[in-house]
Amino acid sequence: MKSIFNNKILTLELTLLLLCNVVLLNLPLTNILGYEYSAINGILITLLGGIYTLSFLKKNSSEKETWALLKELFQNLLPLAVLPLLMGLAASLFVRNCSLTEGVLYYLVLSVPSLIVGACLAITGFLISSRFSYLLFTVAFLLALFLPLLYIYFNPQIYFFNPVIGYFPGTIYDEAVEIDFKLISYRLLNILYFASSAYFALRIIRQSKFAPKAIFLAALLAAAVIFILLGDTLGYSTSRSRMVSELGGHVSTEHFEIYYDSRIARKDIESIILHNEYYYEVVSTALKVSPSEKLTTFLFFDSKEKKKLLGSANADVAKPWRYELYINYGNYEQTLQHEIVHLLSKEFGVTPFKISAGFNPSLLEGLAVAMEDNFGEHTVHYMASLAYNNGFRFPIERLFQGLNFFGELSSLSYVYAGSFIKFLIENYGVEKLKEVYRGGDFSTAYGKPLGALVGEYYSFIASYKPLGSPDEAIYYYGRKPIFKKVCARFLAENIDRAWNLYNSGKYQDSEVLFRRLLNYSESYQALLGYVTSLRKTDKTHEALKVLRENLDKYTKTSYYYNLELLTADLSALNKNYLAADSIYRRISLQRVSREFDYLSQIRMELVRDTSLIRKYLKGSDFDKYTILKAMNSDSISYSTIPVLIGLSEKLEESYPEFMKSWIGKLKVSSFPSSYAAFRLSDYALRNLAFQDSRVFLTSALSYKSDSDFSEVLRLQLKRINWFLNFGEMTLSGVKWQ
């Protein structure tokens, strides 16, 4: 093998590769040996390896034996694959909470095969025409890199497998990118296809005959086409027909084709049908659009099925250019309207994807948030005011520039973009906003620059009432965006693995894995999993000790409050009732969220009877349900109602049986009683008991001291009235297939 440093092209490429990786190791997400680092190096290695291969072929005699030629070529190419690995390993040694083993696995699976891909593309280009080989290689490289994007455009999926980078997950919402059998098998097939192609191409180059060349190229193309056609069957892609087939259920409504997992109960599908049609009417009216074709909803039973078919386990997705949305069954009440906004905005969207001009995420997501106007049972203006008045600020102008939307915590970006756009629509109408969405300038559309509009918005949001508490602001906004996390994907994959062990009842195994993760990270999920695993094996003293040792690390973060509640629960289990009661009372005063309010109130009532609090905390769902129902025997304990609703659903209690304890018995005179009535109204609506739902909601509205909550109730009443007026007619026109 020739000396590397005597080879000018290889030396230049290694220098360029070194400089690129120095930059990568100083950027978020690519600063350690992980998925992003390996995927980007896959691109660099394919490109540089191909260029070197062409220079090598032009300088070496075609009389050389094929295997000898290949051996020399890959010996020379090897440093291109080794250099980024060594740099990534060196960088990862200085990062405490990253796994070198998994980092190496990412690199071996994603980056190393790219060396063979680049060499094969170059050899094939040289075979077709040595004169135009660089041009042919460049075209082949770009096709290999970007052609798989067509899967995302023409198929429902948001992921794709790719010979250059191995795999693209399609979303940053799911932090875990697993090196599983499917990905490994795909890369092995890549190696087999491209390595054998390189070998036979070199043999034909030595022969310099047209017939073998034409046969080889035809066979090469045919094999690629066959693999693409079989991709759906092999699980490397998801066609619409496959998704429809695997879900199994189908219903047609006036404005939707709904495909759903056949395990979902008919009652729930009917509720989803009504929500689809209701949000369609609300959003199309607000945006002043009238689509010419039906929308399609794909409804998955759980995140596991959604991950398999769509590529995203957690994030619900809309594809406006396809008029399709994809949601988890358990999420539809929270995300359906948001995704329908994305679909209906196609009517004034631009680009091939029918979205906001310039792919501006603040316009795209901000419009959807503004239209739904419900962020954790609060209005979007309330949530923006909560952030703004408690120090969670960043310039709105910057939010609408480039991809700055993704540089902040996602909840902050969504809230500010949504609140600002809602402000613009409320004060200037929707048509001006649509003009900007299409690509117009703020100054042209509104007659004033963006800065002036932002100034008006700041004045509005600074004086917005009611004000939330500082603890509530920290709870919603005290987290890191993924770009500021270290080893996000390593941790996410292992956290998922540990929770799978926990959910399978393997508490000792999950305890070991969570403890290991906690030892090299400050992950909240690792701490929570470790403590709950200890609790499951009755190691409550050790669990409390671990919590107390780590709790201070999470002050001023969203995670602190749940850990605080868990500390109080463990104190009660360890018979330190005074400490537990003190923490419960502190949580109640913090006004963190409505959920924490009623959870702390329940525990404050229970801790008065020391045996009862321990029985509740250690008991099954049935035990908890029995205890909470008993608390309502003499008079209604309003704080228990949201929890009782959830437990009743888990225990599969019938709607009439559960509701007989509450119908006609609520007296709304405070926020807890109003909130309880609201939750009962929502539960009745899910069970298609429209009249019951309106009765409870009307009761909830009698409490008027919280203007933000009153607006949430008003929107709920609007939905209930639509269901009452049009629900039966809508369901009667449905075609079940």
Side-chain angles (χ1 to χ4, degrees):
M1 183 177 69
K2 296 179 181 179
S3 170
I4 292 174
F5 297 106
N6 289 333
N7 189 318
K8 292 182 180 179
I9 292 179
L10 189 57
T11 302
L12 179 63
E13 288 191 346
L14 286 170
T15 302
L16 179 61
L17 191 60
L18 184 146
L19 293 174
C20 287
N21 278 278
V22 168
V23 174
L24 290 177
L25 292 171
N26 284 278
L27 295 175
L29 290 185
T30 61
N31 59 350
I32 44 89
L33 187 60
Y35 167 78
E36 286 80 8
Y37 181 82
S38 300
I40 293 174
N41 270 293
I43 297 173
L44 295 172
I45 290 169
T46 304
L47 181 61
L48 297 176
I51 292 172
Y52 175 77
T53 298
L54 291 174
S55 69
F56 175 85
L57 292 174
K58 288 180 181 294
K59 291 180 180 179
N60 285 272
S61 170
S62 61
E63 282 85 28
K64 283 188 178 182
E65 198 273 328
T66 304
W67 279 114
L69 200 63
L70 275 175
K71 181 180 178 182
E72 182 179 347
L73 171 63
F74 280 103
Q75 282 179 336
N76 292 348
L77 287 173
L78 190 60
L80 292 175
V82 172
L83 177 63
L85 176 61
L86 294 177
M87 293 180 69
L89 284 170
S92 296
L93 289 173
F94 296 97
V95 182
R96 184 166 58 92
N97 57 336
C98 296
S99 166
L100 287 179
T101 302
E102 291 188 335
V104 171
L105 185 59
Y106 273 125
Y107 192 83
L108 292 177
V109 174
L110 299 179
S111 304
V112 173
S114 301
L115 196 66
I116 300 172
V117 174
C120 175
L121 294 177
I123 293 169
T124 305
F126 190 85
L127 171 65
I128 296 171
S129 170
S130 59
R131 181 180 178 185
F132 297 105
S133 57
Y134 283 98
L135 175 61
L136 290 169
F137 166 71
T138 302
V139 172
F141 166 73
L142 293 174
L143 286 174
L145 181 60
F146 293 113
L147 200 59
L149 283 169
L150 295 177
Y151 283 114
I152 293 179
Y153 193 83
F154 291 107
N155 279 358
Q157 68 197 69
I158 62 168
Y159 70 93
F160 59 74
F161 288 84
N162 181 287
V164 176
I165 64 173
Y167 178 75
F168 176 68
T171 175
I172 62 172
Y173 292 96
D174 296 337
E175 294 180 1
V177 176
E178 187 179 358
I179 303 293
D180 57 9
F181 173 77
K182 189 184 292 186
L183 177 54
I184 293 172
S185 66
Y186 176 81
R187 290 311 254 169
L188 289 174
L189 288 173
N190 285 166
I191 292 170
L192 177 64
Y193 175 79
F194 287 101
S196 59
S197 298
Y199 172 76
F200 287 111
L202 277 178
R203 290 196 62 175
I204 295 169
I205 288 172
R206 292 175 64 237
Q207 295 176 3
S208 300
K209 294 181 179 180
F210 175 76
K213 181 190 297 187
I215 294 171
F216 168 76
L217 291 174
L220 193 68
L221 181 61
V225 170
I226 290 171
F227 180 77
I228 291 171
L229 293 175
L230 290 175
D232 201 29
T233 304
L234 297 172
Y236 298 128
S237 63
T238 304
S239 67
R240 192 178 195 273
S241 60
R242 178 188 166 203
M243 185 174 284
V244 166
S245 175
E246 294 209 20
L247 288 174
H250 176 210
V251 62
S252 295
T253 73
E254 183 181 358
H255 299 109
F256 286 87
E257 297 293 337
I258 302 174
Y259 297 94
Y260 59 93
D261 190 289
S262 53
R263 290 172 288 180
I264 303 172
R266 178 165 176 139
K267 170 181 67 68
D268 295 322
I269 296 301
E270 289 179 348
S271 176
I272 289 162
I273 289 168
L274 294 177
H275 280 88
N276 272 267
E277 290 293 333
Y278 170 68
Y279 290 135
Y280 180 96
E281 179 174 315
V282 168
V283 175
S284 61
T285 301
L287 294 179
K288 300 179 182 179
V289 296
S290 182
S292 58
E293 58 186 278
K294 283 188 176 184
L295 281 56
T296 301
T297 297
F298 289 97
L299 191 68
F300 304 94
F301 185 75
D302 55 24
S303 59
K304 183 178 179 181
E305 181 181 52
K306 187 152 160 283
K307 174 71 173 177
K308 171 189 170 186
L309 294 175
L310 184 69
S312 169
N314 300 319
D316 291 335
V317 176
K319 290 190 174 185
W321 67 96
R322 292 178 59 86
Y323 270 139
E324 293 178 355
L325 60 91
Y326 317 87
I327 59 174
N328 275 343
Y329 158 57
N331 293 352
Y332 80 89
E333 285 193 281
Q334 290 76 41
T335 63
L336 181 59
Q337 184 178 8
H338 184 101
E339 304 307 331
I340 287 175
V341 175
H342 286 320
L343 297 194
L344 292 178
S345 63
K346 173 189 176 181
E347 301 306 306
F348 49 88
V350 292
T351 80
F353 298 96
K354 298 300 178 182
I355 58 174
S356 53
F359 300 90
N360 189 303
S362 294
L363 286 170
L364 178 70
E365 297 298 342
L367 177 60
V369 173
M371 288 289 104
E372 63 180 331
D373 196 22
N374 191 328
F375 201 100
E377 297 179 349
H378 291 286
T379 64
V380 67
H381 284 333
Y382 173 88
M383 295 302 294
S385 170
L386 180 68
Y388 187 83
N389 290 305
N390 286 282
F392 293 94
R393 302 179 182 181
F394 56 87
I396 299 292
E397 296 98 320
R398 188 165 64 85
L399 189 64
F400 285 85
Q401 295 170 0
L403 298 177
N404 289 326
F405 182 91
F406 299 111
E408 300 294 334
L409 182 70
S410 61
S411 56
L412 270 177
S413 295
Y414 275 82
V415 162
Y416 273 125
S419 178
F420 179 62
I421 286 178
K422 186 170 187 288
F423 171 81
L424 292 179
I425 293 173
E426 288 172 336
N427 288 275
Y428 295 95
V430 73
E431 293 301 332
K432 294 180 185 297
L433 191 281
K434 287 161 70 174
E435 183 180 340
V436 175
Y437 198 91
R438 294 186 188 101
D441 183 78
F442 275 97
S443 296
T444 303
Y446 288 92
K448 57 183 73 176
L450 177 60
L453 294 168
V454 170
E456 294 175 10
Y457 170 74
Y458 283 150
S459 298
F460 163 76
I461 210 67
S463 59
Y464 189 85
K465 298 290 188 296
L467 297 175
S469 73
D471 287 289
E472 185 181 16
I474 293 170
Y475 176 68
Y476 281 107
Y477 304 121
R479 302 183 186 184
K480 294 179 181 179
I482 186 173
F483 290 105
K484 295 182 181 178
K485 295 179 182 179
V486 180
C487 304
R489 298 198 188 276
F490 286 133
L491 281 173
E493 182 181 343
N494 282 282
I495 291 293
D496 283 351
R497 190 178 303 153
W499 280 118
N500 286 335
L501 290 170
Y502 179 89
N503 292 329
S504 300
K506 300 177 181 177
Y507 304 123
Q508 291 183 336
D509 293 337
S510 66
E511 175 192 329
V512 171
L513 182 51
F514 278 127
R515 182 175 66 241
R516 180 167 66 84
L517 294 171
L518 184 61
N519 285 340
Y520 67 78
S521 77
E522 294 181 354
S523 164
Y524 160 74
Q525 285 288 340
L527 176 59
L528 180 64
Y530 182 32
V531 170
T532 51
S533 296
L534 288 170
R535 181 177 171 179
K536 278 290 185 181
T537 53
D538 291 326
K539 299 175 184 175
T540 54
H541 288 284
E542 186 178 347
L544 184 58
K545 179 183 177 184
V546 170
L547 258 185
R548 285 173 172 167
E549 288 173 350
N550 288 275
L551 188 60
D552 287 346
K553 298 175 184 177
Y554 298 89
T555 54
K556 303 299 181 182
T557 73
S558 302
Y559 313 115
Y560 178 81
Y561 305 99
N562 197 40
L563 296 176
E564 189 180 29
L565 182 63
L566 188 54
T567 302
D569 288 347
L570 286 169
S571 297
L573 288 171
N574 285 310
K575 300 183 180 180
N576 192 344
Y577 304 113
L578 288 176
D581 184 56
S582 175
I583 299 172
Y584 293 143
R585 292 181 183 280
R586 182 167 72 240
I587 293 172
S588 179
L589 294 172
Q590 286 167 343
R591 293 168 48 229
V592 177
S593 73
R594 289 162 183 164
E595 182 180 13
F596 276 97
D597 285 346
Y598 62 72
L599 289 177
S600 59
Q601 288 296 323
I602 289 172
R603 284 157 169 77
M604 285 163 58
E605 289 187 49
L606 290 172
V607 81
R608 297 169 189 164
D609 184 335
T610 56
S611 63
L612 203 56
I613 184 68
R614 283 171 54 81
K615 184 178 179 182
Y616 178 81
L617 294 174
K618 296 181 73 171
S620 64
D621 287 341
F622 180 77
D623 295 330
K624 289 181 171 65
Y625 185 81
T626 303
I627 291 168
L628 295 183
K629 281 298 288 286
M631 290 173 63
N632 289 274
S633 57
D634 296 328
S635 60
I636 294 180
S637 174
Y638 291 103
S639 60
T640 65
I641 289 178
V643 179
L644 280 167
I645 291 171
L647 290 171
S648 177
E649 290 181 306
K650 279 187 178 181
L651 296 169
E652 299 182 348
E653 183 180 21
S654 71
Y655 170 81
E657 180 65 25
F658 177 76
M659 277 300 194
K660 70 182 183 182
S661 300
W662 316 109
I663 291 177
K665 298 179 182 179
L666 270 65
K667 295 181 180 179
V668 173
S669 59
S670 62
F671 178 80
S673 57
S674 177
Y675 184 72
F678 164 68
R679 292 294 297 270
L680 286 168
S681 170
D682 194 58
Y683 177 61
L685 194 64
R686 287 201 303 275
N687 283 274
L688 309 182
F690 308 141
Q691 195 62 51
D692 289 350
S693 182
R694 184 158 68 176
V695 169
F696 282 119
L697 205 281
T698 303
S699 296
L701 279 165
S702 63
Y703 177 77
K704 304 182 184 300
S705 297
D706 187 327
S707 59
D708 172 66
F709 187 57
S710 293
E711 179 61 17
V712 172
L713 295 179
R714 187 190 66 78
L715 292 174
Q716 175 78 337
L717 181 61
K718 181 180 177 183
R719 179 165 53 133
I720 294 167
N721 286 335
W722 187 92
F723 279 37
L724 270 167
N725 293 329
F726 304 106
E728 186 176 342
M729 180 180 66
T730 299
L731 292 175
S732 67
V734 166
K735 295 179 181 178
W736 298 85
Q737 301 176 22

